[in-house]
Structures are given as C-alpha cells and as structure tokens.
Amino acid sequence: MTEPGMAAITEPYYEALGRGRLVLQHCKACDQAVMYPRHRCPVCHERDLGWISASGRGVLLSFAVQRFGAPSGFDADTPYALGVVRLDEDVQLLGRLWPDADGEWNAYACDAPVEFHPAAPEEVLRRPVAWFRLDTR
C-alpha cells in the first residue's frame, strides 16, 4: 500500500528524469542526501527536505541481466539489465543499465564506475527509472 501523499513527494524525481536529469531529495537540517523520496529525513527525522542535482556518478554494487522469463509486462524488454548503484552522494538506487558497445552487459562488473545516462523521454514515461552506463572517464 502506498503511503498517503507519496505521488506528490516523488513527482519532482520523475519530472527530472523526464527532462534527462537525476535529482535527489536533500535534508536542509542535516545536509544528508535522501533516496528514495520520503516525508522525513531518515537520519534526523526533520521534514525540511528539498531537491538537489545528483552528480550522476557512482559504482555498481550488484546487477542482473534478464534474458528470458521476464515478469509480466516486461517480456518485450528482454534482454535487459538492472543494477543497484551507490552514487557519490552516498545513496543507493535501482536503475537500468545500458548495453555496452557489443549490445551486451559483459563489460559490467561489481564495483565498476557508472554514470547516469538518461533515456529518451518516451522511455522514461514507459518505464520511469534512472538509466546508467559504464563511466569510461
């Protein structure tokens, strides 16, 4: 069950994704980045939360490639990859991974540097999630 008012809290995040930006909630009281959006800061429990632009850089903590047997509604997306990313702002989120140059995910590995690389706005509308690729810098 969704907590009351969650749509209003998450709207800035999804709006930013649709514009090709990655944002994080930010506690003005304790200067903590917050992910996923909440009513209160998980550190100091204050309600004074705003939004900041994320660096978009982080490391891949874990990932999985779904080649077949996808859940209902995702069959047309296979193959696809999902990964847990720890951003430089010290928050984690689940995101989609762009295939590498070979159209696969063979170059990905745990602890690999990744960066936010937005999807087309119509893809964000279809599947509202942050997309990441390997950071080659």
Side-chain angles (χ1 to χ4, degrees):
M1 181 170 158
T2 304
E3 192 174 334
M6 284 309 292
I9 290 172
T10 59
E11 186 177 338
Y13 174 74
Y14 292 118
E15 245 180 45
L17 281 181
R19 291 190 319 269
R21 294 182 51 233
L22 182 61
V23 297
L24 302 172
Q25 217 175 16
H26 176 260
C27 179
K28 296 175 184 175
C30 71
D31 200 33
Q32 177 72 37
V34 177
M35 189 55 163
Y36 290 90
R38 303 164 195 223
H39 289 285
R40 292 176 178 265
C41 174
V43 176
C44 71
H45 308 291
E46 289 293 326
R47 291 183 182 260
D48 193 10
L49 301 169
W51 293 90
I52 59 170
S53 291
S55 68
R57 291 210 169 116
V59 296
L60 187 61
L61 297 180
S62 178
F63 73 104
V65 178
Q66 185 77 39
R67 297 189 186 282
F68 57 89
S72 299
F74 289 83
D75 293 342
D77 290 0
T78 55
Y80 63 89
L82 297 172
V84 177
V85 174
R86 179 179 298 276
L87 294 174
D88 289 353
E89 291 83 0
D90 201 29
V91 296
Q92 295 178 176
L93 70 153
L94 181 68
R96 292 276 299 258
L97 303 177
W98 287 103
D100 56 29
D102 298 328
E104 284 289 332
W105 294 270
N106 297 326
Y108 285 91
C110 290
D111 296 325
V114 292
E115 64 182 344
F116 174 71
H117 188 75
E122 59 273 9
E123 178 62 25
V124 173
L125 284 174
R126 190 172 80 82
R127 302 262 191 249
V129 65
W131 286 72
F132 293 88
R133 67 178 180 187
L134 288 171
D135 187 348
T136 57
R137 294 180 213 188

